[in-house]
Structure formats: structure tokens, C-alpha cells
């Protein structure tokens, strides 16, 4: 799968990869529990061995991956980024094995055991439970503003993002992603019961321009209220307080301001508040963006359908009074029909063929041996560089062939060499390694998100539908705050 970032040549320090699958399992365990002995146990290590391995990883990567106490450990921002980038790297390796060596399709990947997802909307606990029960995955969820959620995905800190935008969501991320529709998300206005327009069934944005508004920033750092007014051809209100979701909810509840809401937003309920439809019918698009290398298409469609089902269920449970408006009733019927179509399409997708278990996956030592043969042109020359005998190197690769159940060596009277599919696999591996270095070990690429230029537009680089658009982007770092919820 092509990458949307610039891929430099692999640096010398990556001639041997700095972390293995077992190293990632240890980092993943630390990210989940924060207790060093328990994380070591989950990774199959003693606590002292886990400490030594973490020290080695810090030295190998040149980064401080963890923040450790006597018995505690948690991932640093660099550690969280390396975990996601490393997980992506090995998923790319697995996908390349499937496509190049086994000759299967690009979707021939099983679902990840744990999916890191950032969301701009508080996910309901039953959604996390549904993902564990029906999809067989755990969701590691972090909550943030729509803008920061997209930054987490752009910065390779999460595998997926659930957010909204007034424009196409995939255009806002400077990397290769796939976007799945969650909700065509119309907006309403929340008013204090004593507001002069509270008695109307439908109100106009033009009549609310002099009110005190509260708003969150959008996915591209726009102020939602201002953009809604501009798209309606109106001058934005003069008084808009931009704040976080919790503060905005408090201000609405106290009647300090009015604000925009939607079926996907958490409901703000109080006897002193009413919700009213807007004449202009403003909308936003809520969607699920995923890293296609990590998240198979079938899983992404099923997860997006779960999100849609929960949003619609919450709307009918908490906002049923709005169905007296025929427009909202028609909207709900249309959304349910679309959900049914997408659910059927997700069910019809053929499940990917099962991958080998972890004991037969390609790991860093295997990659090192194969890359040495590719770089030096023959088993004989590679064995000399590796300081082992030709027969020993041949036996090690033969054992790898038996583990994988696939041929890697081409044996003939002229000697032994790698097969063409294996060489093609290694050619793709170089790009994976360079990306791992760029976004995981230095954080220098993949961090960027388009920002507003003086003219009010944005410039971005993204890959979609085979087309690449290039531009400038503004880098920024954010830490991941995540908690695992679900059932084991």
C-alpha cells in the first residue's frame, strides 16, 4: 500500500531493526496496565528482564520510551508513537508476506487484537462491549477534540479515528487512510427555555446572530459556529466562546450560551433547555478513518456500522421529541436504510484467510537473514558477511521456509538464491523500514496536519483514489491518553 509520507533511504542504524515483535508486546502491555511486574508477566518475562529489555530499547532507538518507577511503568509520548508505528510496521510485513510470498489479496489480514482509536465523540461503553463481543477486538480509546483526534492519526499515534468535519475528512490527514461513513449529521440549536425563540418549532441562524454562543474547534481548527454561519452565507456571531466539550456542556446547562448539537453529540438534558431545528439545515459528516495497513476493510465497515447504530439508537432514545418534525423523521428513515445497506455489505465481505500464529510470523532476525542474501547477491557472500557458514545460513532459511510453509530459496545447479517473490517482498520491506524510522523513531514525518494559510485555504498532501496532492503542513505533537475497555 503506498505511503503518503516521504520515505528516505534506510539509515545505517536500521541495518538491524531496533525492536522485535516481543518488544512490541512488552510496550503494548505497559500501555494497557501501567504496572511493570504485570506488564512483564503478560509479555512472558520476569520484571528484571523487562527492565533490561526496556533499557536496551531506549538505547537502540535513542528515545525514552517509558516513564518508570519502582513498580510502575507507562509509555512516554515517544513510546506511544513507537508502539503504533511498530505495530504498523509488522502489519505491513505480514501484509507483504501475504501478497508477495503467498500471493493472496491485499485484505488478507486478520483483525488486530487491540485497536487504538481516537474519538471526538464520547463513545458509549456498550459500543466498546459490542466490539469485544461481536468483532472479537478490544478498543483502546482516547478522547480529544476533533482537531487533535486527526493529529493523533496523522502522527501515527492511533490506528483509527472517529470524528466529524464540514469537509471531506480524508482530505484533512497527511497520510494514507480510508474513510468510512458513520452519519450524515445534521445540526440543531440548544436554547434556554426562556429564550425568545424557544417557543418556535424551527428557528433561523440569522435570528440567533446576536446571541452568546459556545463552540468547539473543528477537525481543521475551524470554529464550528463560525463555519456553519459562513456556509449559510451569513456573518458569524460576534460573541463565540471556543472551549472544550465538558465546559461547553456546562455552559449550555447553566444557560450561559446557546450551541449546536447533533445526533452524534452527547445529549445535554435539563428542564431549562430545549432543542430546535434550524431553517438552514446545516450538516456535518461523521466518519471513521482507518490505517488500511492495520485495519482490514471488513473490520472497518463493521465498526463504522456499529458506530452508526449506536448514534441512531441514542437519537431515538434521547431526542424522540424531534421526530414530530417531518424533516427529522425522514432523516431517521434514510439513515436507517443506509445503515441496513452498509451492514449487509459488511456481512457479505469474505473473511480474510487465517494467518499463521505468532510462532510462524516473520520477525526481525528472519528479515535480517533474508536482507543479507538480497543485499550481497548470493547465499555464499551473505554467509561470509554474517560470519556463519553457507550451510548454516541455508539451514536457517530452510527452517524459516518450513515454518511459513512457503518457498523462499531458489535452488539450482548454479547455486542457491532467493526467489523472485521473496526479493519483491524485501524491496517493499525497505520502504516499511524507512517509514518506521521517519514516523516512529524520529517523529519528523507523519506529524503534520494542514493549517489555515493567510488566504483562508489549506494545503495538504494525501493519497486518495490513486491521486497524490502535495502541499505544506504544520507539525505538532500531542500525547495519547488512552484506556482499554472491553472484555477479555
Amino acid at each position: 500500500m503506498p505511503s503518503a509520507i516521504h520515505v528516505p533511504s534506510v539509515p545505517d542504524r536500521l541495518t538491524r531493526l531496533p525492536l522485535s515483535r516481543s518488544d512490541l508486546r512488552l510496550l503494548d502491555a505497559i500501555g494497557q496496565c501501567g504496572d511493570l511486574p504485570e506488564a512483564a508477566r503478560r509479555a512472558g518475562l520476569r520484571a528484571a528482564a523487562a527492565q533490561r529489555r526496556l533499557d536496551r530499547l531506549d538505547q537502540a532507538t535513542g528515545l525514552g520510551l517509558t516513564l518508570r518507577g519502582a513498580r510502575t511503568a507507562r509509555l512516554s509520548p515517544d513510546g506511544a508513537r513507537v508502539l503504533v508505528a511498530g505495530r504498523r510496521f509488522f502489519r505491513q510485513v505480514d501484509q507483504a508476506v501475504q501478497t508477495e510470498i503467498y500471493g493472496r489479496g491485499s485484505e488478507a489480514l486478520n483483525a488486530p487484537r487491540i485497536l487504538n482509536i481516537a474519538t471526538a465523540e464520547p463513545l458509549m461503553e456498550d459500543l466498546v462491549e459490542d466490539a469485544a463481543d461481536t468483532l472479537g477486538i478490544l478498543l483502546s480509546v482516547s478522547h480529544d477534540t476533533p482537531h487533535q483526534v486527526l493529529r493523533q492519526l496523522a502522527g501515527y499515534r492511533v490506528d483509527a479515528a472517529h470524528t466529524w468535519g464540514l469537509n471531506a475528512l480524508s482530505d484533512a490527514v497527511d497520510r494514507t487512510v480510508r474513510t468510512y461513513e458513520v452519519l450524515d449529521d445534521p445540526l440543531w440549536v440548544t436554547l434556554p427555555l426562556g429564550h425568545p425563540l424557544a417557543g418556535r418549532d424551527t428557528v433561523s441562524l440569522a435570528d440567533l446572530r446576536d446571541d452568546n454562543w459556545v463552540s468547539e474547534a473543528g477537525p481543521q481548527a475551524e470554529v464550528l459556529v463560525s463555519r456553519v454561519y459562513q456556509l449559510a452565507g451569513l456573518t458569524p456571531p460576534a460573541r463565540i466562546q471556543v472551549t472544550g466539550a465538558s465546559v461547553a456542556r456546562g455552559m449550555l446547562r447553566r444557560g450561559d450560551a446557546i450551541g449546536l448539537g447533533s445526533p452524534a453529540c452527547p445529549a445535554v438534558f435539563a428542564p431549562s433547555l430545549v432543542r430546535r431545528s434550524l431553517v438552514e439545515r446545516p450538516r456535518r459528516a461523521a466518519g471513521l478513518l482507518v490505517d488500511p495497513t492495520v485495519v482490514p476493510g471488513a473490520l472497518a465497515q463493521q465498526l463504522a456500522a456499529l458506530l452508526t447504530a449506536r448514534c441512531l439508537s441514542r437519537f431515538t432514545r434521547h431526542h424522540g421529541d424531534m421526530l414530530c418534525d417531518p424533516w427529522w423523521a425522514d432523516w431517521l428513515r434514510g439513515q436507517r436504510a443506509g445503515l441496513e445497506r452498509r451492514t449487509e455489505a459488511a456481512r457479505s465481505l469474505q473473511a480474510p484467510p487465517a494467518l499463521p500464529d505468532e510462532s510462524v510470523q516473520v520477525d526481525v532476525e528472519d528479515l535480517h537473514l533474508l536482507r543479507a542474501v538480497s543485499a550481497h547477491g548470493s547465499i555464499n557472500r551473505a554467509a561470509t558477511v554474517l560470519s556463519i557458514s553457507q550451510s548454516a545460513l541455508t539451514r536457517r532459511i530452510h527452517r524459516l521456509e518450513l515454518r511459513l510453509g512457503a518457498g523462499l530459496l531458489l535452488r539450482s545447479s548454479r547455486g542457491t538464491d532467493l526467489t523472485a517473490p521473496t526479493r519483491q517482498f524485501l524491496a517493499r520491506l525497505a520502504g516499511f523500514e524507512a517509514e518506521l524510522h521517519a514516523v516512529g523513531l524520529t517523529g519528523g514525518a507523519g506529524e503534520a496536519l494542514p493549517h489555515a494559510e493567510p488566504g483562508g485555504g489549506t494545503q495538504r498532501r494525501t493519497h486518495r483514489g490513486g491521486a497524490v496532492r502535495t502541499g505544506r503542513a504544520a507539525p505538532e505533537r500531542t500525547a495519547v491518553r488512552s484506556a482499554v475497555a472491553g472484555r477479555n
Side-chain angles (χ1 to χ4, degrees):
M1 186 111 9
S3 174
I5 66 168
H6 170 66
V7 178
S9 60
V10 181
D12 290 341
R13 68 172 175 155
L14 278 183
T15 54
R16 291 184 71 91
L17 287 163
L19 70 166
S20 65
R21 292 182 189 267
S22 59
D23 296 330
L24 284 182
R25 285 194 292 272
L26 176 57
L27 292 177
D28 190 46
I30 289 172
Q32 292 179 49
C33 66
D35 180 83
L36 185 57
E38 173 60 17
R41 185 192 68 78
R42 294 186 187 187
L45 300 170
R46 295 174 181 252
Q51 288 271 25
R52 290 193 296 272
R53 178 169 292 192
L54 292 172
D55 290 338
R56 177 184 62 78
L57 285 174
D58 286 350
Q59 184 176 11
T61 60
L63 302 169
L65 303 183
T66 55
L67 305 173
R68 283 175 269 166
R71 291 181 57 85
T72 62
R74 60 188 178 90
L75 295 179
S76 68
D78 283 335
R81 188 183 67 252
V82 166
L83 174 60
V84 172
R87 183 187 293 124
R88 173 181 165 83
F89 169 79
F90 282 109
R91 294 285 292 185
Q92 286 175 313
V93 169
D94 290 341
Q95 189 177 71
V97 168
Q98 295 296 304
T99 57
E100 303 299 340
I101 295 178
Y102 291 130
R104 294 173 177 168
S106 60
E107 295 291 342
L109 279 178
N110 290 336
R113 186 172 60 88
I114 295 177
L115 183 66
N116 286 30
I117 181 171
T119 178
E121 309 289 0
L123 291 175
M124 298 68 69
E125 286 303 313
D126 52 358
L127 173 70
V128 180
E129 298 294 331
D130 281 348
D133 288 340
T134 63
L135 303 182
I137 63 168
L138 299 177
L139 297 181
S140 178
V141 183
S142 62
H143 300 275
D144 217 321
T145 66
H147 186 51
Q148 296 301 331
V149 162
L150 289 177
R151 285 192 180 276
Q152 288 191 42
L153 182 63
Y156 290 77
R157 293 188 172 89
V158 293
D159 307 312
H162 168 229
T163 188
W164 56 265
L166 299 175
N167 300 314
L169 288 173
S170 57
D171 289 348
V173 181
D174 188 32
R175 60 176 291 196
T176 302
V177 297
R178 286 183 186 165
T179 305
Y180 296 85
E181 178 186 355
V182 170
L183 202 65
D184 171 22
D185 202 5
L187 299 168
W188 60 66
V189 65
T190 301
L191 302 172
L193 187 60
H195 193 279
L197 302 180
R200 298 185 184 180
D201 292 332
T202 304
V203 299
S204 171
L205 288 170
D207 295 333
L208 299 170
R209 198 176 66 83
D210 294 331
D211 281 83
N212 183 39
W213 285 85
V214 64
S215 179
E216 296 179 65
Q220 292 177 306
E222 76 268 8
V223 176
L224 177 61
V225 172
S226 294
R227 289 285 288 120
V228 166
Y229 267 82
Q230 290 167 357
L231 291 174
L234 301 171
T235 303
R239 293 181 294 167
I240 304 175
Q241 181 169 341
V242 183
T243 184
S246 59
V247 174
R249 287 166 59 85
M251 291 180 64
L252 292 172
R253 183 176 290 274
R254 293 198 317 180
D256 295 339
I258 64 175
L260 295 174
S262 78
C265 289
V268 181
F269 294 109
S272 59
L273 297 178
V274 295
R275 296 171 303 282
R276 294 292 180 258
S277 297
L278 289 163
V279 173
E280 294 81 4
R281 306 297 186 192
R283 297 169 180 263
R284 64 182 195 176
L288 178 70
L289 293 80
V290 305
D291 181 336
T293 302
V294 176
V295 186
L299 171 63
Q301 287 201 27
Q302 291 171 329
L303 185 56
L306 276 180
L307 285 164
T308 303
R310 286 302 165 195
C311 290
L312 296 180
S313 173
R314 183 170 55 185
F315 172 77
T316 55
R317 186 168 63 250
H318 295 303
H319 306 296
D321 57 318
M322 300 193 73
L323 294 177
C324 62
D325 183 336
W327 188 91
W328 280 99
D330 289 342
W331 170 84
L332 181 60
R333 282 192 292 270
Q335 294 300 302
R336 284 175 169 168
L339 172 61
E340 185 174 349
R341 289 192 299 270
R342 300 202 309 273
T343 301
E344 287 301 318
R347 288 174 181 165
S348 67
L349 290 177
Q350 185 177 4
L355 290 177
D357 60 35
E358 291 185 355
S359 65
V360 294
Q361 289 176 333
V362 176
D363 210 342
V364 290
E365 286 302 317
D366 306 319
L367 296 174
H368 181 57
L369 295 179
L370 295 175
R371 188 170 48 194
V373 176
S374 177
H376 299 285
S378 73
I379 292 286
N380 189 28
R381 286 191 290 272
T384 301
V385 172
L386 295 171
S387 300
I388 59 177
S389 67
Q390 179 179 349
S391 58
L393 177 56
T394 302
R395 285 195 302 271
R396 290 175 66 174
I397 296 180
H398 181 58
R399 285 195 294 268
L400 176 59
E401 288 180 311
L402 294 177
R403 276 175 37 218
L404 294 177
L408 304 175
L409 293 180
L410 184 65
R411 299 167 177 86
S412 68
S413 58
R414 301 178 59 184
T416 306
D417 200 355
L418 296 178
T419 63
T422 306
R423 289 192 176 278
Q424 181 63 31
F425 162 73
L426 290 173
R428 296 184 63 188
L429 174 65
F432 304 157
E433 288 178 302
E435 183 187 270
L436 174 63
H437 177 267
V439 303
L441 303 182
T442 67
E447 298 275 344
L449 194 71
H451 66 286
E453 298 291 341
T458 60
Q459 292 182 311
R460 61 185 64 86
R461 174 179 177 172
T462 183
H463 178 280
R464 197 175 82 177
V468 177
R469 296 187 297 277
T470 60
R472 298 185 299 278
E476 180 177 316
R477 283 191 176 186
T478 56
V480 175
R481 302 188 301 276
S482 64
V484 174
R487 293 176 183 157
N488 289 313

